[in-house]
Amino acid sequence: MRIVIAGGHGQIALRLERLLSARGDEVAGIIRRAEQGDDLREAGAEPVLLDLESASVEEVAAHLQGADAAVFAAGAGPGSGAARKETVDKDAAILFADAAVRAGVRRYVIVSSMGANHRHEGSEVFDVYLRAKGEADEYVRGLAALDWTVLRPGMLTNDAGTGLVRLEAHTGRGPIPRDDVAAVLAELIDTPATTGLTLELVSGSAPVTVAVKSVAGN
């Protein structure tokens, strides 16, 4: 498969790129800064220099041509203000989805956040973040041209992955290593029967492949 990942230098994306390239997939990661390219190459991915905050739908779609799947794993990051939650976590996610439709890429997985809700209230930066993520999710879920899956991980950690997770429509809050998020994403890409599902993810007791199979088609 050819898979294009938005936010290609993110912590989850780099882990995902290693997993996908190791299993033989062709992977491209969209990055904003050229100096990030070596990290992607080391992970086995092709760096694509493109700023999703200023690119047009046509420019993004050109890089999605011929892809079998698109993964939105970009984020403004914890140090950013409310404005970039809007321009990255919401607007860039919508742009990437529109570009996938334009390029004819049906399989689309978006990394959201537990608690994301387009109706979330409040004016703090984290409130804006949850609302932006929720608005992006709502937009993607309204696109009939995409075979979408929304993944909402719990509290992200850098602990070593265990390969054991809980993946359900509602899990309740909990931590999840980024390693395990990447493993679940790799499995979701390969499981189109999860199309149309919004799934929460925390650490649990089910092996990743079992957890994904158990929700597929539900």
Side-chain angles (χ1 to χ4, degrees):
M1 296 177 71
R2 175 171 171 80
I3 300 153
V4 180
I5 302 170
H9 195 257
Q11 294 187 66
I12 291 172
L14 285 169
R15 288 166 167 85
L16 178 59
E17 287 155 5
R18 290 187 194 99
L19 290 176
L20 296 175
S21 62
R23 74 183 193 187
D25 288 324
E26 181 184 341
V27 191
I30 295 175
I31 55 175
R32 285 193 310 123
R33 296 197 295 272
E35 60 266 27
Q36 297 170 335
D38 286 345
D39 291 335
L40 269 74
R41 293 184 191 96
E42 186 180 327
E46 167 202 345
V48 174
L49 191 60
L50 186 69
D51 188 346
L52 293 177
E53 288 179 271
S54 60
S56 68
V57 172
E58 291 76 15
E59 287 172 323
V60 181
H63 294 290
L64 282 163
Q65 289 292 337
D68 299 290
V71 178
F72 185 84
S80 58
R84 293 202 71 231
K85 306 304 184 191
E86 292 281 341
T87 58
V88 179
D89 293 288
K90 182 183 77 173
D91 295 345
I94 289 171
L95 172 72
F96 197 59
D98 284 342
V101 172
R102 183 76 58 93
V105 181
R106 289 205 62 92
R107 190 72 180 114
Y108 190 93
V109 181
I110 181 169
V111 182
S112 183
S113 174
M114 194 170 291
N117 186 336
H118 66 291
R119 294 193 179 95
H120 183 85
E121 296 182 353
S123 56
E124 297 296 323
V125 172
F126 192 64
D127 296 320
V128 176
Y129 169 75
L130 290 178
R131 191 161 53 246
K133 281 291 194 186
E135 288 171 346
D137 293 351
E138 280 297 298
Y139 186 84
V140 168
R141 290 188 294 205
L143 293 175
L146 294 181
D147 295 335
W148 56 263
T149 303
V150 177
L151 183 65
R152 291 178 168 174
M155 184 183 70
L156 298 170
T157 75
N158 286 325
D159 297 337
T162 65
L164 299 173
V165 301
R166 183 180 176 195
L167 180 70
E168 299 170 14
H170 301 287
T171 61
R173 295 190 177 276
I176 181 75
R178 288 179 172 87
D179 287 349
D180 290 334
V181 177
V184 168
L185 286 168
E187 196 70 24
L188 288 173
I189 290 166
D190 273 352
T191 313
T194 58
T195 292
L197 299 180
T198 299
L199 300 166
E200 294 183 351
L201 174 67
V202 294
S203 292
S205 58
V208 167
T209 54
V210 173
V212 172
K213 283 186 174 69
S214 69
V215 296
N218 294 341

